[in-house]
Amino acid sequence: LGTVLGEGATAVVYAAKRLAGGSNLDAQVAAIKVLHPEAAANPKILTAFQNENHIMMKLRHPHILRAFD
């Protein structure tokens, strides 16, 4: 994981690279959202995080980042 891009009450977002084809030359800029441990232990927050992921996976728009699971 790279530098912290942002942090909120429930999670931290890190800069990262998504390797395509196993090569660093083909890496895509990415962001990874990681729940804080105490947030991940809360069933309501965990469910909301999972729901957010499911919605993001379905969205397709040029001004919205593509989500990967």
Side-chain angles (χ1 to χ4, degrees):
L1 296 177
T3 59
V4 173
L5 298 176
E7 183 170 0
T10 60
V12 180
V13 177
Y14 296 93
K17 288 185 178 180
R18 181 174 184 268
L19 300 180
S23 169
N24 205 22
L25 297 175
D26 297 326
Q28 297 174 324
V29 175
I32 298 176
K33 186 174 183 179
V34 179
L35 284 177
H36 295 306
E38 60 276 5
N42 181 320
K44 287 184 180 181
I45 294 174
L46 184 58
T47 297
F49 182 76
Q50 291 168 334
N51 289 339
E52 177 184 341
N53 182 51
H54 291 302
I55 291 167
M56 289 295 298
M57 296 285 289
K58 295 177 184 178
L59 294 176
R60 296 289 182 265
H61 189 276
H63 298 292
I64 298 174
L65 294 175
R66 187 169 167 207
F68 298 93
D69 194 17

